[in-house]
Amino acid sequence: MSHPIPAGTLAGRTALVTGSSRGIGADTVRYFAQAGANVVINFRNKAPRAEKLAAELRELGVEVLVVGADLTDADSVREMFAAVKERFGSLDILVLNASGGMEGGMAEDYAMTLNRDAQVGVLEAALPVLQDGSRVVFVTSHQAHFIRTTPTMPEYEVVALSKRAGEDALRERIPALTEHGIGFVVVSGDMIEGTITATLLERANPGAIESRRESAGKLYNVSEFAAEVALAAVEPIPADNTRLIGDVASFGGE
């Protein structure tokens, strides 16, 4: 795994990534730790995996806090940031990576609850610990970011609409965040090979990944995309607060 952020760049900083016990979140938190940041690993129900990652990252000489929290539960989110405040005092980077909605057995409005309401709730709860100069990164997909102009697979539509609703709700807060010296950036990626979402889509719609790979020419894998998410936390914020990763030729405007 190459290091997108030079070692030592984030020394003395603290980063929290939601849904970071596995996948894109885990690799993003790993990149931050490799750059010297103290990190907070958040998980919903994968405690052993989170603890294993924490042990690996502590060997880099950084402090690691592991916090289980269900982002749709406001009390649980409040407790997470109370733990961050107690351990580190403040937070420099918040990556809103956790999302979902394709899981079976969830309430009908679960996608909107997690991908819109919970994202806003996490940001609100984080505000007291985010300091001047801090950065918030929201992770989404082209399929969601461009859902208003470019249809997606029917199996993914509910998730895409809810993630776009979450993105819009967070963007509405940019002026208030800017007032507090907090930067905000959306990172939108094409379909990512090896993610749970891609696996579920492939199961529901066999051949979906291959056909997207053919039209895009290349799909990012988990660690490549995570590197872009990590960079979004340190590089200058684009004028439109958006970083588009991967091919967008087949997507209409926003």
Side-chain angles (χ1 to χ4, degrees):
M1 229 165 115
S2 62
H3 301 190
I5 308 171
T9 306
L10 295 177
R13 306 274 184 86
T14 302
L16 184 155
V17 181
T18 62
S20 48
S21 66
R22 63 181 177 189
I24 292 162
D27 277 355
T28 302
V29 116
R30 191 178 275 119
Y31 287 133
F32 289 148
Q34 287 168 349
N38 296 319
V39 294
V40 185
I41 299 171
N42 156 253
F43 68 94
R44 191 181 62 195
N45 51 20
K46 296 273 185 295
R49 203 177 285 190
E51 292 293 354
K52 187 179 173 198
L53 176 61
E56 175 200 322
L57 301 187
R58 285 187 187 112
E59 291 190 0
L60 298 170
V62 300
E63 281 194 61
V64 184
L65 177 65
V66 178
V67 189
D70 176 349
L71 303 187
T72 63
D73 175 349
D75 289 340
S76 170
V77 170
R78 252 194 313 275
E79 284 165 19
M80 173 168 73
F81 287 109
V84 171
K85 186 169 172 46
E86 188 180 326
R87 171 72 80 87
F88 298 115
S90 62
L91 193 59
D92 301 282
I93 297 168
L94 170 63
V95 178
L96 299 168
N97 162 71
S99 65
M102 290 189 71
E103 305 86 340
M106 293 297 192
E108 203 175 318
D109 60 351
Y110 178 69
M112 201 60 91
T113 302
L114 176 60
N115 297 332
R116 183 192 62 194
D117 306 346
Q119 305 301 317
V120 173
V122 170
L123 178 60
E124 296 288 333
L127 286 176
V129 292
L130 286 169
Q131 49 186 6
D132 189 2
S134 60
R135 178 86 52 102
V136 177
V137 180
F138 176 69
V139 182
T140 189
S141 65
H142 292 349
Q143 286 74 18
H145 181 69
F146 294 104
I147 187 63
R148 304 236 167 81
T149 56
T150 310
T152 187
M153 287 166 274
E155 300 83 3
Y156 190 63
E157 191 174 37
V158 168
V159 175
L161 288 167
S162 65
K163 280 191 70 68
R164 183 66 223 206
E167 179 183 334
D168 291 340
L170 291 166
R171 282 182 184 276
E172 281 171 19
R173 285 160 172 75
I174 290 174
L177 292 172
T178 306
E179 249 176 64
H180 290 95
I182 301 167
F184 177 82
V185 62
V186 170
V187 180
S188 176
D190 203 340
M191 236 179 248
I192 310 297
E193 304 218 40
T195 58
I196 291 158
T197 303
T199 306
L200 291 172
L201 277 173
E202 187 66 28
R203 198 175 295 160
N205 190 338
I209 302 291
E210 185 53 43
S211 78
R212 182 64 203 138
R213 190 187 298 117
E214 275 176 25
S215 61
K218 166 190 162 61
L219 293 181
Y220 281 65
N221 64 28
V222 168
S223 70
E224 288 169 335
F225 183 65
E228 297 291 343
V229 174
L231 284 170
V234 296
E235 291 188 345
I237 297 174
D240 62 354
N241 299 81
T242 313
R243 287 171 70 108
L244 299 173
I245 310 303
D247 181 68
V248 291
S250 53
F251 294 93
E254 290 175 39

